Amino acid sequence: MAKVLLFGRLADVAGWRDAEIEATSLHALRDTLTATDSALGEALAGPGVQAAVDKVIVRGDAPLTATSEVAFLPPMSGG
Amino acid sequence: MAKVLLFGRLADVAGWRDAEIEATSLHALRDTLTATDSALGEALAGPGVQAAVDKVIVRGDAPLTATSEVAFLPPMSGG
Amino acid sequence: MSVQLQSEPFEPGGLLTAFAAGRTETGAVASFTGIARAEAGATTTLELEAYPGFTDAEIARIGAAAAERWGLQGWLVVHRVGKIAPGEPVVFVATASRHRREAFEACDHLMDYLKSRAPFWKKEHGPDGDRWIEPTDRDRTDAQRWET
Amino acid sequence: MSVQLQSEPFEPGGLLTAFAAGRTETGAVASFTGIARAEAGATTTLELEAYPGFTDAEIARIGAAAAERWGLQGWLVVHRVGKIAPGEPVVFVATASRHRREAFEACDHLMDYLKSRAPFWKKEHGPDGDRWIEPTDRDRTDAQRWET
C-alpha cells in the first residue's frame, strides 16, 4: 500500500489529494490509477508531469514498498 | 563677504571649514585664497575639485554677492 | 541559511532586522519582498500549494548553491503557502555578503528561481472562478539569465 | 520619494516595514542595507561628510530619474553622516514597483550611484591615523553599467 499524493490540478482532476494504493512499482501504480480514472490517467501522462518517490524525482520506473510515498507533480509554477 | 565652505581633505589642508571672505567673483575668491594659503590654492586647483555657488556646480567664473555661498568640493567618494 | 514555509502572514521588517543583526563582517544585505497585488479591484485570492519536505528541500538546495556561487555569509527564504489575501507579503528573501554586488545578484537569482521554477502550484480564486497559474514567459527569461 | 541624511543610527527593519505598508498595487519591494564592516579587528571608524542642501538635492535628483526610468511606485534613501561605528548600517535604499525586475534594477542602480558618485567625502579613522577614501575601480565599473 503505497501512499499516493496528488498536487495542483491533478488533485482537482481526481477529486482527491492523497490515498493508499496497492502497487509494487511506479508503472503498476500508473496503470492502476489510469484503469480506475481515465481522466486522471491522461492528466498524469500530460506534458511536464513528474513523479517523486520518497521526495526524489524519478524518471522511468521504480520499485515501491509498503512504506513508499509517491507524489505526482504538475509543472511547477513558482510562488 | 561671501560665505566659503571647504569639504573633505580641503578643510584638512586649510585648517578651517567655513569662513566669510570678501570677493566679487569666484576667480577673485580663488586668487584671495591662494594668496593667503598657497597649499590651499594648490589643493583647490587639483584634479576633480569643483566649486558650487549657492549649491549649484559652476564651471569657470561667476559673480558673487554678499549673500553668496561658495563651496569647494573635492572628488566625491560616495557613501 | 534557512528556508521557512508558513501559512501565517509574516512581517518583512522584522525578518530583515533579525537577519541583519550582529553581522560585523557583512557589508551588504539585500532583501526582496514579494506582495500579492490587488490587481485594481479584481478581488482575487492567491493560493499556493507546496509539498512539505520536498519544496523546502529543493529551495534549500538552490540556496546552498547560490551561497557557494556568490560566497554568501547568510541567506534566508520565507515563503507563504495556502491562501494569501491581496496586499499580504508572499515571499521574503535576504542575502548577506561582504560586498554589495554578490548580495544583489544572489537575491535576484533566488527570486527568479522562486517565481519560475520552485515546487509550488499556484491557484487564483477570482470573481470568475478558480484557475491554476503557469509560469510566465518573462519568468522563464529571467531564470535563464543565470544558466550561463 | 524621499531622501534622509542623518547622524543618528537607524534600524533597517523598521524602515522596510514603514516603506512596504499599505501598498496594495505594489508587487515588489527591493531593499539594500549597507553596513560598516569591522574589517577583522582593524578597529576603524568611518566618517562621512555631506553638504546639506546639496548632497540631499543631488540624491533626490538621481532618485527621481530612477523612478521615471523604472516606473517606480516609491523609493527611499536613508544615509548616515558623521562618525559610524563598525557594524552599524550606513545606508538603506528601498524601491517599490509592480514587478520585481524594476525594483531590483532601480535599487541596484541607486546603490551604485550612492557608493561611487554621490556627494559624500569619506574618511577612515584607523589605528594608523586618518585617511580620505576615493572611489574604487569596482565602484566606477559598477556605476558605468547604467550609462548605456
Side-chain angles (χ1 to χ4, degrees):
Chain A
M1 299 292 276
K3 183 176 184 187
V4 180
L5 305 173
L6 301 179
F7 286 88
R9 60 180 165 76
L10 298 176
D12 286 4
V13 169
W16 53 270
R17 310 194 77 77
D18 57 285
E20 299 280 334
I21 296 172
E22 189 74 50
T24 58
S25 76
L26 194 52
H27 277 180
L29 175 62
R30 284 178 183 275
D31 289 345
T32 301
L33 290 170
T34 304
T36 318
D37 180 343
S38 62
L40 177 59
E42 197 175 319
L44 291 178
V49 175
Q50 296 179 292
V53 176
D54 294 329
K55 302 192 172 72
V56 176
I57 297 285
V58 167
R59 297 179 207 286
D61 202 7
L64 300 179
T65 70
T67 60
S68 295
E69 179 179 282
V70 180
F72 291 103
L73 313 171
M76 296 155 186
S77 65
Chain B
M1 298 293 276
K3 183 174 183 187
V4 180
L5 305 173
L6 300 180
F7 287 89
R9 60 179 165 74
L10 298 176
D12 285 3
V13 169
W16 52 270
R17 311 194 77 77
D18 57 285
E20 299 280 334
I21 295 172
E22 190 72 52
T24 57
S25 75
L26 194 53
H27 277 181
L29 174 62
R30 283 177 183 276
D31 289 345
T32 301
L33 290 170
T34 305
T36 319
D37 180 344
S38 63
L40 177 59
E42 197 175 319
L44 291 177
V49 174
Q50 296 180 292
V53 176
D54 294 329
K55 302 192 171 70
V56 176
I57 297 285
V58 167
R59 298 179 208 285
D61 201 8
L64 299 179
T65 70
T67 61
S68 296
E69 178 180 281
V70 179
F72 290 102
L73 312 171
M76 295 154 187
S77 65
Chain C
M1 318 290 189
S2 159
V3 179
Q4 205 172 319
L5 303 179
Q6 60 178 68
S7 51
E8 305 75 33
F10 62 80
E11 205 283 289
L15 296 175
L16 177 60
T17 297
F19 182 78
R23 297 190 173 276
T24 53
E25 294 304 323
T26 290
V29 172
S31 90
F32 183 87
T33 306
I35 301 169
R37 286 194 306 274
E39 300 293 0
T43 50
T44 55
T45 298
L46 181 67
E47 183 173 3
L48 283 175
E49 193 180 3
Y51 179 10
F54 177 84
T55 300
D56 37 335
E58 285 292 294
I59 295 172
R61 195 172 57 79
I62 299 292
E68 170 85 17
R69 175 168 173 183
W70 282 284
L72 299 183
Q73 296 169 324
W75 60 272
L76 170 68
V77 172
V78 178
H79 212 296
R80 287 284 298 280
V81 294
K83 290 194 177 174
I84 300 156
E88 287 183 355
V90 178
V91 57
F92 177 82
V93 173
T95 52
S97 59
R98 287 185 66 77
H99 300 285
R100 71 184 181 285
R101 179 91 3 258
E102 289 76 10
F104 266 127
E105 289 194 1
C107 191
D108 191 358
H109 168 79
L110 288 174
M111 274 310 305
D112 278 351
Y113 165 73
L114 288 166
K115 288 295 287 183
S116 67
R117 293 189 294 187
F120 292 101
W121 298 276
K122 181 159 48 178
K123 198 182 227 178
E124 268 183 18
H125 299 266
D128 305 325
D130 300 350
R131 65 185 189 105
W132 290 99
I133 308 293
E134 299 278 310
T136 66
D137 287 346
R138 189 173 188 189
D139 287 331
R140 288 188 225 272
T141 310
D142 282 347
Q144 279 164 3
R145 293 185 302 146
W146 309 99
E147 284 168 10
T148 50
Chain D
M1 319 288 189
S2 158
V3 179
Q4 204 173 319
L5 303 179
Q6 59 177 71
S7 52
E8 305 75 32
F10 62 80
E11 205 283 289
L15 296 175
L16 178 59
T17 297
F19 182 78
R23 297 192 172 275
T24 53
E25 295 303 323
T26 289
V29 173
S31 88
F32 183 86
T33 306
I35 301 169
R37 286 194 305 275
E39 299 293 0
T43 50
T44 56
T45 298
L46 181 67
E47 183 172 4
L48 284 175
E49 192 179 3
Y51 180 9
F54 177 83
T55 300
D56 38 334
E58 284 292 295
I59 296 172
R61 195 172 58 80
I62 299 293
E68 169 86 16
R69 174 167 174 183
W70 281 285
L72 300 182
Q73 296 169 324
W75 61 271
L76 169 67
V77 172
V78 178
H79 211 297
R80 288 283 298 280
V81 294
K83 290 194 177 173
I84 301 157
E88 287 183 356
V90 178
V91 58
F92 177 83
V93 174
T95 52
S97 58
R98 287 183 66 78
H99 300 284
R100 72 183 180 287
R101 180 88 7 253
E102 288 76 10
F104 265 126
E105 289 193 3
C107 190
D108 190 357
H109 168 79
L110 288 174
M111 274 309 305
D112 278 351
Y113 165 73
L114 288 166
K115 289 294 287 185
S116 68
R117 292 189 295 186
F120 292 102
W121 299 276
K122 182 159 47 179
K123 198 182 227 179
E124 267 183 18
H125 300 265
D128 305 325
D130 301 350
R131 67 186 188 103
W132 290 98
I133 309 292
E134 299 279 310
T136 66
D137 286 347
R138 189 171 187 190
D139 287 330
R140 287 187 226 273
T141 310
D142 283 347
Q144 279 164 3
R145 295 185 303 147
W146 308 99
E147 284 169 9
T148 51

